[in-house]
């Protein structure tokens, strides 16, 4: 019979292996016959090829959250997201994608840099867009949606540049000639959000 400590170490090893798998965020892509580029973190089509293999040093809130609880199906905060999207004339899918990538639908999320809530707003951004309590889901989503709306307007509705600016700041996007800045985090963030965006669109056909 195995020593109790052996079972303990084996359990820890298995948990560590599961943790590492969850912390990965590999992104796959392919371009269809119409020239549309598709992204996914869970490729279901043979045409997908690996675009980026990413690992986090520590598991993010989104990585630790089971996929079925991330709200991609549209059930978590659906009303608040739909209302903010309508007000800002954005797609609900975009807000779901940003929330999934930023916080994994955890309204109490707080990053090491001080970003707060579902859409991980920095305190100054939250204040600028009227979120008195950035931990409040409705206020956080509305402020984040307003910020995204302004970024899209700034970058001629280029979703990838707007997402890069959301992650790295608009000044960095401008600094690098209106291109995605060459930062490792941003280079991984943009395709990750795009993958969530397309996953939401597949899960909710006909939605805006």
């Amino acid at each position: 019979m195995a020593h109790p400590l052996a079972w303990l170490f084996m359990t820890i090893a298995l948990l560590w292996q599961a943790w590492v798998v969850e912390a990965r965020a590999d992104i796959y892509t392919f371009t269809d016959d119409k020239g549309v580029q598709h992204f996914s973190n869970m490729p279901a089509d043979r045409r997908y090829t690996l675009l980026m293999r990413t690992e986090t040093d520590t598991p993010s809130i989104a990585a630790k959250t089971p996929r079925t609880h991330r709200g991609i199906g549209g059930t978590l905060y659906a009303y608040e997201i739909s209302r903010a999207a309508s007000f800002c004339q954005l797609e609900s899918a975009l807000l779901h994608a940003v929330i999934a990538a930023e916080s994994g639908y955890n309204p109490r999320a707080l990053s090491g840099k001080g970003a707060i809530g579902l859409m991980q707003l920095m305190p100054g951004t939250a204040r600028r867009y009227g979120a008195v309590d950035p931990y409040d889901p409705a206020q956080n989503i509305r402020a984040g949606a307003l910020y995204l709306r302004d970024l899209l307007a700034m970058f001629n509705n280029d979703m990838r540049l707007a997402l890069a600016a959301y992650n790295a700041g608009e000044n960095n996007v401008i600094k690098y000639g209106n291109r995605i800045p060459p930062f490792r985090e941003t280079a991984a963030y943009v395709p990750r959000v795009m993958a969530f965006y397309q996953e939401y669109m597949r899960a909710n056909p006909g939605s805006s």
Side-chain angles (χ1 to χ4, degrees), residues 15-26 53-65 70 184 188 192:
L15 288 172
W16 173 259
Q17 183 179 24
W19 177 86
V20 170
V21 170
E22 282 295 317
R24 300 182 67 93
D26 298 347
R53 187 179 299 282
T54 61
E55 297 183 16
T56 57
D57 294 330
T58 57
S60 67
I61 292 169
K64 291 190 294 182
T65 307
R70 284 183 183 164
R184 181 178 178 182
R192 178 171 170 78

Side-chain angles (χ1 to χ4, degrees), residues 83-173:
R83 189 174 182 183
S86 177
F87 180 80
C88 296
Q89 296 184 320
L90 299 175
E91 292 179 291
S92 295
L94 177 59
L95 299 186
H96 274 284
V98 170
I99 291 170
E102 289 284 355
S103 67
Y105 289 85
N106 181 352
R108 305 302 299 176
L110 178 65
S111 78
K113 296 179 181 178
I116 299 168
L118 289 168
M119 296 193 72
Q120 288 292 274
L121 302 175
M122 294 302 289
T125 303
R127 287 192 299 270
R128 190 197 329 169
Y129 290 101
V132 177
D133 178 6
Y135 284 109
D136 177 76
Q139 292 185 43
N140 189 285
I141 293 169
R142 181 184 172 94
L146 288 167
Y147 184 34
L148 274 172
R149 181 196 65 183
D150 287 353
L151 291 174
L152 284 164
M154 182 180 296
F155 296 106
N156 297 314
N157 289 316
D158 187 317
M159 189 180 295
R160 289 174 178 80
L161 289 184
L163 291 172
Y166 193 93
N167 177 260
E170 54 265 40
N171 289 335
N172 277 318
V173 174

Side-chain angles (χ1 to χ4, degrees), residues 25-30 38-53 67 195-196 198-199 202:
D26 298 347
I27 302 297
Y28 300 81
T29 186
F30 80 89
H38 299 261
F39 298 90
S40 179
N41 62 327
M42 299 187 67
D45 189 299
R46 291 182 179 180
R47 291 174 291 178
Y48 277 109
T49 58
L50 181 65
L51 171 67
M52 182 177 300
R53 187 179 299 282
R67 179 174 176 271
F196 280 132
Q198 292 182 3
E199 184 178 347
R202 285 194 299 271

